[in-house]
Structure formats: C-alpha cells, structure tokens
Amino acid sequence: MKLVLLLLIMSITVFAQIHVPENFQAEFVQTITNPKKKVITYSGKVYFSNKNRLKWEYLSPTKKEVCTDGTEVLVVDHDLEQVSNYLINKGFDLAEILKKAAPYKDKKSVFIAKYEDKEYTIQVDAKGQLARVAYYDDLDNTVLIVFKHMKYGKGDLPLEHIRCDYPRDYDLIEG
C-alpha cells in the first residue's frame, strides 16, 4: 500500500516548474526494480484533473484502479474483488511542490523535485509535456514511470474518467 501512496504523491510532484495542464490523460509503463534487481512491470492508463483528482488504471499484469481526490485513496483490486479506502496522512499541496522543483543543471527537459524527503527526477518531451518520472520508494526500490500518448487538456475531465467504479458485491476494507 505504501507504494500506491508514494505513486500518488509522485504523480502530483511531477508538475513542479513544468506547465501544469488543467487535465491530462496518458498511457504509462511503470517499472519497479528492487535492491536485488528483481523487476516488475505494470502498464495502464492515468488520468489527472482539477489539480488534485488522479486515477491510475492498471491493466497489466493485474487489473486495479487507484483513485484519489487529494485526501482519500480508493484502491479497487478487480482480481481480488476487493476495495480499500484510506485517508491520506498529508494532503497534496501542489503549490508547495511546484515551488520546490528546479531544472537539473543546464538541461531544459530534466527537473528535480524534492518533496517529503524524496527526490524525483522528471523529464519532459520536446513539447514540455510530462514524459517520465524516476525515484526511490520507501523500500529502496527504483521506480520509473514512462508516459506515452500524453494528452493535455483544458477544464475538468468528466467524472466517469477519474472515478473508481466497482461492483457493490466487492469486499470493502476501510483503512
């Protein structure tokens, strides 16, 4: 679960001193490498809207959805038919994160963001749009998220894009 929370925090931090769209949608590939060099790769779609609404839709190797509004996290594990709901200890402060990010040396496409004792390396593409994020999580795993087919937009995404839906017969766990 810590990994999910770190991903949510990371996903907000990626916009520091980078053009922050009102919303975006993208495909992603997330590679996690543990200290013993064991690698697991996830892929799916991500949706961001309204500065604090975020949805990670994992499609492979397992089907899972992770949604947040900045204060709560809802994790829907379709393989386990289980829904977990958690309060986030610290809310997302996008403005503070934006203040902390800085370009890396003289590179125009690489930024470093330090937030809550973590350092994130962020890369943007030629259009200035988010391309990849790398960091170490609390378990010393290396996490690399590569975004593909990034689409920045204006206004809020429709709620059905960023809401986690699940059958009512799934087990509910309150955290």
Side-chain angles (χ1 to χ4, degrees):
M1 190 67 228
K2 288 183 181 180
L3 178 62
V4 171
L5 293 176
L6 287 172
L7 288 174
L8 294 172
I9 292 168
M10 177 282 311
S11 62
I12 296 301
T13 66
V14 299
F15 298 104
Q17 291 193 356
I18 298 170
H19 170 67
V20 180
E22 292 178 28
N23 74 60
F24 78 74
Q25 302 175 54
E27 294 174 14
F28 72 90
V29 174
Q30 176 186 17
T31 305
I32 302 170
T33 307
N34 74 13
K36 294 181 180 180
K37 304 299 181 202
K38 182 176 179 186
V39 177
I40 186 163
T41 302
Y42 298 94
S43 64
K45 297 178 182 178
V46 61
Y47 305 88
F48 170 82
S49 182
N50 193 17
K51 297 196 192 236
N52 64 356
R53 294 198 175 274
L54 185 67
K55 177 179 180 180
W56 294 89
E57 183 178 5
Y58 291 86
L59 301 173
S60 175
T62 183
K63 189 172 180 201
K64 185 183 296 192
E65 297 173 61
V66 179
C67 299
T68 185
D69 61 4
T71 57
E72 288 184 304
V73 175
L74 187 68
V75 180
V76 180
D77 189 321
H78 294 286
D79 294 337
L80 296 176
E81 297 183 358
Q82 179 177 304
V83 178
S84 303
N85 188 0
Y86 302 93
L87 287 176
I88 298 172
N89 290 340
K90 296 180 181 179
F92 295 129
D93 187 344
L94 183 58
E96 186 62 26
I97 295 166
L98 293 173
K99 288 179 201 173
K100 293 180 185 250
Y104 179 70
K105 297 185 179 180
D106 60 349
K107 299 183 186 272
K108 294 180 181 179
S109 64
V110 179
F111 297 79
I112 302 294
K114 292 183 181 178
Y115 181 71
E116 293 190 3
D117 298 323
K118 294 218 179 329
E119 184 173 281
Y120 302 93
T121 302
I122 304 152
Q123 185 175 352
V124 297
D125 63 16
K127 297 179 189 175
Q129 295 181 337
L130 181 62
R132 54 188 351 174
V133 176
Y135 66 99
Y136 288 97
D137 68 14
D138 285 341
L139 302 173
D140 291 328
N141 296 314
T142 302
V143 179
L144 172 64
I145 303 172
V146 177
F147 298 94
K148 298 186 273 185
H149 310 294
M150 178 64 73
K151 295 179 192 170
Y152 280 19
K154 294 203 179 281
D156 292 345
L157 286 176
L159 192 55
E160 59 267 13
H161 282 79
I162 53 176
R163 180 179 53 218
C164 283
D165 290 320
Y166 56 91
R168 296 296 166 215
D169 62 344
Y170 278 17
D171 293 332
L172 181 60
I173 299 170
E174 297 284 338

